[in-house]
Amino acid sequence: MSELSVPSRRSWAEPWKVKVVEPVRLTTPEQREAAIREAGWNTFLLRSDDVYIDLLTDSGTSAMSDNQWAGMMLGDEAYAGSRNFYHLVEAVQEHYGYRYLVPTHQGRGAEHILSQTLIKPGDVVPGNMYFTTTRLHQELAGGRFVDVIIPEAHDPASEHPFKGNVDLDALESVIRENGKDRIPYVCLHATVNMAGGQPVSLENARAVRELTARYGIPVYMDATRAVENAYFIQQREPGQSAKSVKEILREFCSLTDGCTMSGKKDPLVNIGGWLATNDPALYEEASNLVVVYEGLHTYGGMAGRDMEAMARGIAESVQDDHIRARIGQVEYLGNKIAGWGIPIVKPIGGHAVYLDARAIYDHLPQDRFPAQMLAAQLYLDAGVRAMERGIVSAGRDPATGDHRYPRLELVRLTIPRRVYTQAHMDVVAESVAAVYSVRKSTPGLRMVYEPKYLRFFQARFEPEA
Ligand code: F0G
């Protein structure tokens, strides 16, 4: 018998097996053509029944574990003081380390409460790149967002390992120009969604902490994908590889005063969120406001069972083997696409592979919506649903009314947690290759309907003749 040669680099697999399956529907090209037309060439307006592989978002699309589903049956649906609320508080204190918790229905509920509590008209909020809902809540409270991310973040080809980092000189200039009293807090996203799911290093977070402390300015984190950020620190930051993701997460959070959280991402649930803080005065005001907009301060718009599922999801989300497999799947897809020479954002991000639509459709100017068109083409090719993250998402400048022209014009292939297999990833990669091969003859789009707020959700388009 001949000797088998065992490869030196062994394969890994997910730390779970499948217990329940959900059928997905295959459609014909004619059906997809009709569906995208009806949806105004906007993937947000497609019916999910018409989608084969849904990579619109990783938000609220995760598969819960049997342990989380078991917790759903233990929902204490009392109006006030549900036991699940206290379990959630314990989970947040243990894994994120913040003292006080205000539950909300999802992330933007927390952003609303934080913005209304801290921002006064005329204030300036520096942050490492905007996020759509976060910036809008800052603006609605009378504030102005200022981007202080490092320049590498705007370059899809830069291989900087921490493209989410804050440019410390830029931050200090914003503080000096506006005065510390005009800066209610610094908003630190970890990871940075709009930059391609890029992380912030521990060293940079520590430097932000030291700088802002000199001026007495608090730091609030968008912790939506902070576990993914912690994994990148473990993998990439010198001196961090011996620590667990759990330890790194606690250390990172300790450099901030609190956070807003969309529980629909890292924490592995379909709905829920929270605002956390170490500041008793902010907690008091936020728990007063939450009863106006979300629900009582012990449920904030969530059912007891939702809070239980999230408490259990948080504990699962910080396990090294979970997060390694989660990000490993994203890397698998990204490496496959990049291996064919198709331009994507490098390094591959935590929750998604971002296609560089500007480079792919280099014959289309940005106001002919190349990323919007690329997302539509992926749907037409194989029923894969992706999301535009370019000029449509960036919206208009409230002062001038003009389009904002972001340097990044991207399509996001966002991977839900624990939902799809490697075979699904192969189908997606091949669909990207097929769309790429006909890129030169693909026309642009015209916007024919534009809503006032967060236009990317509901805008409608038509292809150019
Ligand atoms: N912050 C970040 C970084 C996000 O990615 C999101 C949501 C939010 C805040 C808002 O949270 O949806 O629970 O209200 N991102 C989703 C996405 C919608 O597809 O990236 P939410």
Side-chain angles (χ1 to χ4, degrees):
M1 218 169 79
S2 68
E3 284 282 314
L4 279 177
S5 78
V6 179
S8 57
R9 202 161 170 278
R10 303 288 291 269
S11 295
W12 54 268
E14 288 79 2
W16 41 261
K17 57 184 178 173
V18 177
K19 197 191 298 259
V20 177
V21 296
E22 176 182 348
V24 289
R25 184 166 155 249
L26 282 159
T27 47
T28 63
E30 293 71 32
Q31 286 168 328
R32 293 196 290 276
E33 172 92 40
I36 198 77
R37 206 176 290 281
E38 196 184 323
W41 296 73
N42 184 346
T43 53
F44 276 104
L45 300 178
L46 288 166
R47 293 169 185 239
S48 85
D49 277 348
D50 294 331
V51 174
Y52 175 38
I53 300 176
D54 201 345
L55 306 188
L56 184 70
T57 177
D58 63 331
S59 181
T61 53
S62 296
M64 293 207 294
S65 67
D66 52 359
N67 179 49
Q68 286 177 287
W69 279 108
M72 295 286 277
M73 285 305 293
L74 301 177
D76 169 9
E77 306 306 343
Y79 186 86
S82 162
R83 85 171 80 88
N84 312 116
F85 168 71
Y86 296 103
H87 187 194
L88 177 60
V89 173
E90 281 165 24
V92 172
Q93 287 173 340
E94 179 182 349
H95 296 294
Y96 292 83
Y98 302 118
R99 212 167 306 151
Y100 305 108
L101 181 96
V102 180
T104 60
H105 77 286
Q106 61 183 79
R108 68 199 74 180
E111 292 164 2
H112 175 217
I113 306 278
L114 181 71
S115 300
Q116 292 295 328
T117 309
L118 289 183
I119 299 172
K120 297 180 297 305
D123 280 356
V124 169
V125 187
N128 49 345
M129 204 172 265
Y130 83 101
F131 184 71
T132 53
T133 57
T134 322
R135 179 174 64 190
L136 181 58
H137 279 298
Q138 292 162 356
E139 289 172 353
L140 291 172
R144 185 166 58 88
F145 169 81
V146 180
D147 192 0
V148 293
I149 202 164
I150 56 171
E152 288 87 341
H154 297 281
D155 174 7
S158 161
E159 300 260 8
H160 192 296
F162 291 101
K163 274 167 105 172
N165 279 356
V166 171
D167 180 332
L168 298 162
D169 292 337
L171 175 59
E172 186 147 27
S173 304
V174 174
I175 298 173
R176 289 239 174 96
E177 274 162 32
N178 295 281
K180 67 179 174 55
D181 296 336
R182 272 277 160 239
I183 308 212
Y185 61 97
V186 170
C187 179
L188 185 68
H189 287 264
T191 58
V192 182
N193 192 351
M194 301 305 277
Q198 303 296 331
V200 176
S201 71
L202 208 46
E203 187 191 17
N204 186 252
R206 193 165 289 120
V208 169
R209 183 56 154 182
E210 282 164 13
L211 172 62
T212 50
R214 276 196 269 128
Y215 294 93
I217 298 170
V219 178
Y220 277 84
M221 172 165 50
D222 182 329
T224 296
R225 299 183 185 85
V227 180
E228 293 175 3
N229 198 89
Y231 175 74
F232 284 123
I233 289 173
Q234 183 195 57
Q235 297 297 308
R236 296 182 187 166
E237 191 159 347
Q240 302 301 325
S241 61
K243 291 183 196 159
S244 66
V245 164
K246 199 166 151 169
E247 287 167 326
I248 296 170
L249 179 67
R250 273 296 293 258
E251 193 175 339
F252 198 96
C253 293
S254 75
L255 301 167
T256 67
D257 296 279
C259 75
T260 53
M261 170 62 99
S262 170
K264 303 170 72 172
K265 282 84 163 176
D266 274 349
L268 296 165
V269 288
N270 305 120
I271 193 74
W274 32 271
L275 166 64
T277 181
N278 292 328
D279 175 353
L282 184 128
Y283 171 64
E284 191 183 330
E285 208 170 324
S287 37
N288 193 207
L289 260 192
V290 81
V291 301
V292 181
Y293 293 108
E294 301 279 321
L296 195 72
H297 62 285
T298 58
Y299 75 85
M302 283 181 281
R305 56 179 171 269
D306 297 332
M307 293 190 281
E308 186 59 32
M310 185 147 65
R312 292 174 184 225
I314 288 170
E316 291 175 15
S317 74
V318 299
Q319 303 303 318
D320 283 64
D321 59 352
H322 158 74
I323 198 72
R324 189 183 313 120
R326 188 278 185 283
I327 294 184
Q329 189 180 40
V330 178
E331 284 173 347
Y332 173 83
L333 176 64
N335 284 331
K336 193 150 190 161
I337 295 171
W340 293 329
I342 300 172
I344 65 169
V345 173
K346 302 268 187 62
I348 296 162
H351 63 302
V353 175
Y354 289 71
L355 305 174
D356 185 354
R358 187 197 286 274
I360 293 172
Y361 291 151
D362 58 7
H363 59 295
L364 294 180
Q366 206 168 6
D367 59 7
R368 288 164 68 196
F369 311 110
Q372 188 78 27
M373 189 49 149
L374 182 56
Q377 292 300 320
L378 287 171
Y379 175 72
L380 283 168
D381 179 74
V384 173
R385 172 155 66 172
M387 185 192 286
E388 190 266 6
R389 293 276 86 154
I391 185 170
V392 185
S393 295
R396 290 183 186 271
D397 186 313
T400 65
D402 295 337
H403 288 307
R404 289 168 166 133
Y405 286 85
R407 278 179 62 196
L408 297 175
E409 179 71 20
L410 309 174
V411 166
R412 190 180 72 173
L413 299 166
T414 339
I415 316 300
R417 295 165 186 80
R418 309 191 293 204
V419 171
Y420 291 114
T421 64
Q422 202 150 309
H424 287 110
M425 297 302 110
D426 291 339
V427 170
V428 172
E430 287 163 21
S431 177
V432 172
V435 167
Y436 183 71
S437 69
V438 295
R439 64 193 178 283
K440 300 228 182 298
S441 57
T442 306
L445 290 168
R446 284 185 304 122
M447 201 186 320
V448 294
Y449 166 68
E450 178 175 359
K452 187 164 168 213
Y453 297 120
L454 302 175
R455 63 184 184 178
F456 55 94
F457 284 129
Q458 290 146 341
R460 300 183 71 84
F461 301 82
E462 272 172 15
E464 293 178 322

